[in-house]
Amino acid sequence: MERTLRRPARLQGTVRVPGDKSISHRAALLGALATGPTSVRRFLAADDCLATLDCLRALGVEWRLREKAPGVASLEVVGAGLRGLREPADVLDARNSGTTLRLLAGVLAGQPFTSVLTGDHSLRSRPVDRIVEPLRLMGAQLFARDGDRRPPLAIRGGQLRGIRYRLPVASAQVKSAVLLAGLFAEGETVVEEPVATRDHTERLLIAMGADLRREGPGLRLRPPSSLSSLDLEVPGDLSAAAFWLVAGTVHPEAEIVLPAVGVNPTRTGLLDVLAMMGATIDVGEQRMVGEEPVADITVRSSSLRGVEVAGELLPRLIDEVPALAVAAAFAEGRTVVRDAAELRVKESDRIAALTAQLRRLGATIEEQPDGFVIEGGRGLQGARVTGGGDHRLTMALAVAGLLAEGETTVEDGDAVAISYPGFWQDLERVGGC
Ligand code: S3P
């Protein structure tokens, strides 16, 4: 369904963003491997995480979901234990979710059966060679389309051996796939990261009693005989909060409060970059929710200046780049995003798509192989735009519509269901429509 937006006179209110997507996937998956029942409050009941749950059911895992509000649910998982999964009768469909496919592949590599993973048109164009390589080194057999590069991905699991593996790309999904396979391996698994990526898998595994240690740039896992179950609340998703952080910063009359947002340092790159740009963002005192730090965040209208974003910052804000690009269009001066070639293999080629769509809105943006350059300060003019089915682009373009002169129509409004089903209601709550 398409949505038409105009800039409201004020943006004001409190938005309790839904639970973190990365943590929700992991809580479901690890809960399934635990011994005993796992409870997860504020589980993200969005299409990506539902894809993980459906795959788990096809592997014989029982769970129950009670939705409290759009995208917000309580999840109970009956842990099958490390040896309790059973061979699926059909192909497993990860739909739009790279996290489902890649993390599950790590688990399936260690199972004594054969499984096949596929996904929607977008996911079938995304790389899997990055997990095929380490999981083969561990002893599993994997085959994929297009020279073992793209899904569908067939996995004949078996007895794995631990490996020492240095990640060729900074990817939490690949790191997690290797660690999850390591749960089923003989001997230790060591994963080294060139740049730190989100560490939610590690935090949960440690909470479940796994012998997992951080050693310099590496992680060392000794295979456990069992994992204890979880009783967990999921913090608000900083990647969902990102849209309100940008809307509230750029809009000239704004104050938005975002309670209980996850502020794990591997995820807070956008907060750092917005601060560098001159944003007035108040991050309240941190407290722990489950294994993760959270804080209440208040964002107010600010004058922004352009900034350079590169290197180790990228993994800490990779999913927030579409929102950041909208902020950059309103910032005085030039914003450069480099070292972000990974954006080309997300739910869409986000570098190409952002360039095309922001140009429609009148932005001066130049595409680069690994990022883009935006000459900001001229704002945006309303136009007809599309996220092309990519949820984060759709939401970033909606924010652009809240800030642009005139009327903006976003064509594929339903794509928000992938990670933020209540997005349009929350947009109304802060005064947009
Ligand atoms: C995720 C890791 C990131 C991120 C994705 C979620 C995760 O992907 O972009 O949205 O939950 O591990 P990569 O591992 O491909 O960098």
Side-chain angles (χ1 to χ4, degrees), residues 22 26 99 102 130 170-173 198 318-319 342 346:
S22 293
R26 287 157 171 80
T99 308
R102 299 207 183 96
R130 52 184 63 191
S171 163
Q173 291 177 358
R198 64 192 72 196
I318 193 74
D319 292 341
E342 275 293 302
K346 294 296 179 190

Side-chain angles (χ1 to χ4, degrees), residues 164-185:
R164 170 177 282 273
Y165 191 67
R166 187 170 167 79
L167 299 179
V169 278
S171 163
Q173 291 177 358
V174 179
K175 171 177 65 175
S176 300
V178 176
L179 288 175
L180 290 168
L183 294 173
F184 304 95

Side-chain angles (χ1 to χ4, degrees), residues 42-359:
R42 297 195 70 80
F43 179 83
L44 175 64
D47 200 59
D48 257 27
C49 301
L50 299 179
T52 290
L53 288 179
D54 289 342
C55 289
L56 290 173
R57 182 162 279 156
L59 289 160
V61 178
E62 286 175 37
W63 50 262
R64 199 165 52 129
L65 195 67
R66 267 170 303 181
E67 197 157 350
K68 312 271 174 175
V72 183
S74 285
L75 172 69
E76 310 284 330
V77 186
V78 183
L82 283 169
R83 316 276 159 216
L85 301 183
R86 57 159 202 256
E87 187 171 70
D90 202 348
V91 171
L92 298 169
D93 187 359
R95 310 208 279 262
N96 193 245
S97 175
T99 308
T100 305
L101 188 134
R102 299 207 183 96
L103 267 58
L104 207 49
V107 173
L108 295 173
Q111 306 307 312
F113 54 69
T114 298
S115 41
V116 180
L117 283 157
T118 192
D120 68 7
H121 176 75
S122 156
L123 187 57
R124 279 184 277 111
S125 73
R126 296 180 62 190
V128 291
D129 40 342
R130 52 184 63 191
I131 50 169
V132 167
E133 183 192 274
L135 297 176
R136 274 185 183 158
L137 289 173
M138 294 178 87
Q141 295 181 58
L142 296 97
F143 309 91
R145 193 172 64 83
D146 191 18
D148 291 335
R149 289 193 308 157
R150 290 174 219 280
L153 171 66
I155 303 172
R156 173 162 292 171
Q159 183 52 57
L160 304 181
R161 54 187 171 270
I163 53 167
R164 170 177 282 273
Y165 191 67
R166 187 170 167 79
L167 299 179
V169 278
S171 163
Q173 291 177 358
V174 179
K175 171 177 65 175
S176 300
V178 176
L179 288 175
L180 290 168
L183 294 173
F184 304 95
E186 239 167 54
E188 289 179 354
T189 295
V190 179
V191 188
E192 284 178 17
E193 304 193 81
V195 182
T197 64
R198 64 192 72 196
D199 63 356
H200 310 302
T201 304
E202 296 91 298
R203 286 175 188 250
L204 287 179
L205 280 174
I206 292 168
M208 298 172 87
D211 183 354
L212 173 64
R213 287 167 207 208
R214 298 191 174 95
E215 287 180 4
L219 293 158
R220 181 183 300 273
L221 173 72
R222 290 212 173 88
S225 51
S226 64
L227 290 173
S228 52
S229 57
L230 292 164
D231 184 352
L232 196 71
E233 180 172 330
V234 180
D237 196 335
L238 197 123
S239 298
F243 303 106
W244 312 119
L245 290 173
V246 168
T249 307
V250 174
H251 194 284
E253 291 289 333
E255 180 170 305
I256 302 176
V257 179
L258 304 162
V261 179
V263 288
N264 178 318
T266 61
R267 296 286 298 280
T268 48
L270 180 69
L271 288 173
D272 295 348
V273 169
L274 287 173
M276 281 155 60
M277 295 172 87
T280 317
I281 297 176
D282 176 46
V283 179
E285 207 171 300
Q286 290 192 16
R287 55 192 186 274
M288 293 300 281
V289 162
E291 301 308 309
E292 299 277 343
V294 305
D296 302 333
I297 300 178
T298 305
V299 56
R300 297 186 181 89
S301 314
S302 315
S303 301
L304 300 184
R305 50 187 177 271
V307 72
E308 293 222 357
V309 182
E312 304 209 340
L313 256 175
L314 261 303
R316 297 180 53 235
L317 52 55
I318 193 74
D319 292 341
E320 289 68 76
V321 173
L324 174 63
V326 173
F330 289 88
E332 277 308 318
R334 173 179 294 184
T335 292
V336 181
V337 173
R338 277 189 281 117
D339 302 328
E342 275 293 302
L343 289 174
R344 294 208 182 268
V345 291
K346 294 296 179 190
E347 286 82 330
S348 66
D349 176 343
R350 287 186 176 157
I351 296 177
L354 271 173
T355 306
Q357 300 306 311
L358 289 182
R359 273 199 188 138

